[in-house]
Amino acid sequence: MPRTLYIDDDACPVTREALACARRVRVPVVIVGNTTQNLERHIRPDDPRDAGHARGRDATHGGFWVDVLDVSVGADSADFAIVERLRPDDVVVTQDIGLASMVLGRGAAAIGVRGRVYTKATIDMDLFIRHEEKKVRRACGRTRGPAAFTDDDRERFARNLTDLLGR
């Protein structure tokens, strides 16, 4: 089975870039989100929607196709839907460190929307920092939010995702 790119589309600012990378390197994509989102909005009308249609098309599509997976509204529904489908060579785009941890545990790769490739060497520290910041917020404290999303973030994401998919 070829590797698949999963996009955790919960407010994902780089869905368009992820699809463009997958088209270039001819990797299938599954966009995952809850039923309240318009998951189809980034898909081109001429994009193949399953492996059979991708094979029947000209060589420009190759192994690329794109599907959507609607999940129920609820905490972590998309995360668990992705994890239960993962294979070791798959790649997941996510802003969620908890999902990134589960992805790495399944032998797959995870990349953040700013282009950071998560690793087993650093994921425990990422989870620890997330936990500590949550404790501060629960105690009515304040933590720094993320910096504004920039064009540099978008470019770094596209470059690093292309590298991940090309491996």
Side-chain angles (χ1 to χ4, degrees):
M1 294 286 294
R3 86 176 4 156
T4 301
L5 174 64
Y6 289 90
I7 302 172
D8 178 9
D9 203 50
D10 179 25
C12 181
V14 290
T15 302
R16 185 168 283 118
E17 290 79 3
L19 285 168
C21 290
R23 280 185 197 100
R24 268 195 310 278
V25 297
R26 298 185 172 105
V27 172
V29 178
V30 178
I31 302 172
V32 184
N34 67 51
T35 54
T36 64
Q37 299 174 346
N38 177 8
L39 299 178
E40 306 270 341
R41 69 188 177 277
H42 298 294
I43 301 172
R44 295 179 185 167
D46 65 331
D47 282 340
R49 298 306 300 267
D50 58 42
H53 286 101
R55 280 192 295 274
R57 295 268 178 113
D58 58 85
T60 60
H61 288 94
F64 170 77
W65 52 267
V66 61
D67 194 13
V68 297
L69 177 60
D70 285 315
V71 296
S72 62
V73 177
D76 303 322
S77 295
D79 298 357
F80 293 126
I82 291 170
V83 170
E84 73 183 21
R85 289 165 174 78
L86 276 180
R87 292 183 322 268
D89 275 349
D90 291 341
V91 177
V92 177
V93 175
T94 185
Q95 297 186 72
D96 184 331
I97 294 170
L99 174 56
S101 176
M102 290 188 284
V103 167
L104 293 175
R106 296 289 299 258
I111 183 171
V113 298
R114 294 176 187 266
R116 177 169 180 228
V117 177
Y118 293 100
T119 67
K120 288 182 179 182
T122 61
I123 197 70
D124 287 339
M125 183 55 73
D126 295 332
L127 289 167
F128 175 75
I129 291 168
R130 180 184 77 161
H131 176 72
E132 291 300 312
E133 287 177 346
K134 194 172 193 176
K135 285 183 1 186
V136 169
R137 289 189 300 273
R138 278 193 191 141
C140 298
R142 296 187 62 133
T143 59
R144 264 186 343 166
F149 194 77
T150 67
D151 288 338
D152 287 342
D153 293 327
R154 201 173 296 281
E155 290 169 17
R156 182 181 324 102
F157 170 80
R159 185 176 55 251
N160 291 346
L161 179 59
T162 300
D163 289 346
L164 264 181
L165 292 175
R167 290 184 190 161

